[in-house]
Amino acid sequence: MNGELCAFIDANCDMLAEKILYLQYARQPGLAERYAARDIKLCLRDIKYHLSYLCEAVAVDSVSLFLDYISWAGSLLGNLKLPPEDLIINIECMKEVLIKESGRNSENLLVSYLDPALERLKYKKEVQFSFIKNDSPHFELASKYLSFLINADRVSANKLILEALERNVSIKDLYLHVFQVTQREIGKMWHENKISVACEHFCTAATQQIIAQLYPHIFSAPKNNENKNFNVVAACVANELHEIGLRMIADFLEIEGYNTYFLGANVPKDSIVKTLCERNAHLLAISATMTFHVKYAADIIKEIKKSPQCSNVKVIVGGYPFNVDAGLWKNIMADGYAADMAAVTSEASRLLH
């Protein structure tokens, strides 16, 4: 049923979006007059986004992913000073149109996703939090580092990290308590429309440049001999361009003594499987930070499990969608899941030892 519904939405997305919009016009007299022709096109685009995210969530059997998207969409409308009821009525119209057009066989499935979304929008409470915790081991260091990045002061950010190394702050602590938390905070700030895409990209690029200076320390650090015979391949799935999180995961496993082979962003499925065979890999770490990319992770896992040469390779997944839905990794038949760098070492040990 999930596959049939997704196929129907994909094939009829334009028609569905128009029906949803015009039904909303009928439910909200005066709404059409609020929008110019350009705005109507944007409304149709947004409805298609809603449909696409619903489709992706249904495909991997995850209500949590759709709820997370709807929460973000609601917050975005709030930041743009648009009435919250616009989105609520839009989702109500989406539910009515989808049930009518897709047939009653899909009704229960649609209700299981759209009713919780409506509840989330109607009774949502904003929760303020930061990834940089006051009680974290290097709160002041992480806070200063983030401030330098946001203010485009890459030189001071670099100096801050090098001075921390001179004070014997470990590479592990820098990765865990500075780089990881600041990258997540930067992503959250973009998500909340507090910084631009350009600012987010600058901050990430700056951190990548700073990390590059640390490799002599990583390669010369004492290694855990228990892991020296295990080969790990790390790759971002096809179309996934956010590589810094997985790069840090690979570095962290390298520090732990594993032999890592980092492939970077946007790696085709066939190339990943071929590399696993060539490197005699024991573990694959794959990253998908966007909901639209979870299906590519699932495809890779299917390909690995049916390949005689690498069917014994264990697969750990990670990235934002897997943090949103803690059971998602099981839905796509992965062997394990790591929420962060600290978790990946214990998960790798569990799977390989």
Side-chain angles (χ1 to χ4, degrees):
M1 181 58 69
N2 291 41
E4 292 175 7
L5 178 59
C6 290
F8 173 79
I9 293 174
D10 280 340
N12 299 280
C13 193
D14 289 344
M15 176 271 290
L16 293 168
E18 289 185 3
K19 285 182 177 291
I20 292 165
L21 181 60
Y22 292 125
L23 180 59
Q24 185 165 4
Y25 283 168
R27 296 278 169 82
Q28 284 183 281
L31 182 64
E33 286 72 26
R34 280 166 43 193
Y35 296 111
R38 176 181 175 276
D39 295 322
I40 291 174
K41 290 180 180 179
L42 292 177
C43 287
L44 287 170
R45 182 203 63 183
D46 290 345
I47 293 170
K48 291 175 188 177
Y49 279 152
H50 303 338
L51 290 168
S52 296
Y53 269 92
L54 174 63
C55 196
E56 295 295 330
V58 169
V60 293
D61 199 22
S62 176
V63 175
S64 296
L65 286 183
F66 188 63
L67 292 181
D68 181 74
Y69 167 74
I70 284 297
S71 294
W72 171 78
S75 296
L76 181 61
L77 285 181
N79 291 333
L80 295 174
K81 309 301 181 186
L82 294 174
E85 59 267 20
D86 283 2
L87 182 56
I88 292 172
I89 295 172
N90 184 262
I91 300 303
E92 290 173 343
C93 293
M94 178 185 293
K95 175 183 172 182
E96 185 172 328
V97 169
L98 284 174
I99 290 174
K100 179 180 178 181
E101 297 296 330
S102 65
R104 291 289 171 178
N105 289 339
S106 300
E107 182 172 0
N108 289 340
L109 180 58
L110 287 164
V111 166
S112 71
Y113 280 79
L114 297 175
D115 278 5
L118 288 168
E119 288 292 309
R120 177 70 62 90
L121 290 171
K122 291 174 182 176
Y123 304 110
K124 181 183 176 185
K125 294 181 180 179
E126 294 290 345
V127 178
Q128 300 296 324
F129 75 97
S130 172
F131 287 105
I132 303 175
K133 310 292 185 185
N134 290 339
D135 58 352
S136 65
H138 296 285
F139 168 76
E140 185 176 349
L141 178 59
S143 298
K144 286 183 179 179
Y145 183 72
L146 176 65
S147 178
F148 286 139
L149 292 181
I150 295 298
N151 289 288
D153 191 351
R154 186 176 57 207
V155 173
S156 295
N158 184 60
K159 181 181 178 183
L160 185 72
I161 296 303
L162 295 180
E163 288 175 347
L165 270 179
E166 291 176 0
R167 297 195 308 273
N168 295 320
V169 176
S170 71
I171 296 289
K172 281 187 177 182
D173 277 356
L174 288 174
Y175 270 58
L176 273 175
H177 303 301
V178 180
F179 300 143
Q180 178 172 266
V181 295
T182 55
Q183 280 300 126
R184 288 183 169 182
E185 190 68 17
I186 288 164
K188 174 175 168 286
M189 293 173 74
W190 170 81
H191 210 250
E192 295 172 345
N193 206 32
K194 292 179 178 177
I195 61 172
S196 66
V197 172
C199 180
E200 185 268 333
H201 285 188
F202 171 85
C203 294
T204 298
T207 293
Q208 286 177 316
Q209 291 174 339
I210 292 167
I211 284 175
Q213 297 179 73
L214 305 182
Y215 284 120
H217 299 274
I218 293 172
F219 295 137
S220 63
K223 302 294 191 295
N224 184 344
N225 287 329
E226 292 182 358
N227 299 325
K228 67 180 181 180
N229 294 320
F230 292 115
N231 300 324
V232 178
V233 172
C236 297
V237 300
N239 298 321
E240 178 60 66
L241 302 178
H242 299 85
E243 69 169 46
I244 188 169
L246 189 63
R247 178 185 292 273
M248 291 193 291
I249 290 287
D251 291 348
F252 217 69
L253 290 171
E254 186 77 27
I255 294 170
E256 289 295 315
Y258 294 94
N259 302 309
T260 63
Y261 197 71
F262 176 67
L263 302 183
N266 189 23
V267 187
K269 173 180 64 179
D270 292 345
S271 294
I272 291 175
V273 174
K274 182 180 179 182
T275 303
L276 293 175
C277 298
E278 291 174 346
R279 305 300 300 183
N280 190 27
H282 302 90
L283 179 69
L284 170 66
I286 50 178
S287 174
T289 64
M290 305 291 288
T291 296
F292 286 97
H293 299 157
V294 173
K295 60 190 174 189
Y296 299 126
D299 288 344
I300 291 167
I301 293 169
K302 289 178 185 176
E303 193 71 21
I304 290 169
K305 292 189 181 299
K306 73 179 185 182
S307 171
Q309 290 178 287
C310 58
S311 59
N312 292 326
V313 174
K314 301 298 183 183
V315 181
I316 294 178
V317 294
Y320 182 75
F322 300 100
N323 293 343
V324 169
D325 185 343
L328 182 59
W329 64 277
K330 296 178 182 177
N331 295 358
I332 65 169
M333 305 300 290
D335 298 297
Y337 147 72
D340 55 26
M341 286 181 285
V344 78
T345 55
S346 59
E347 194 70 346
S349 179
R350 178 183 71 83
L351 292 172
L352 297 178
H353 286 286

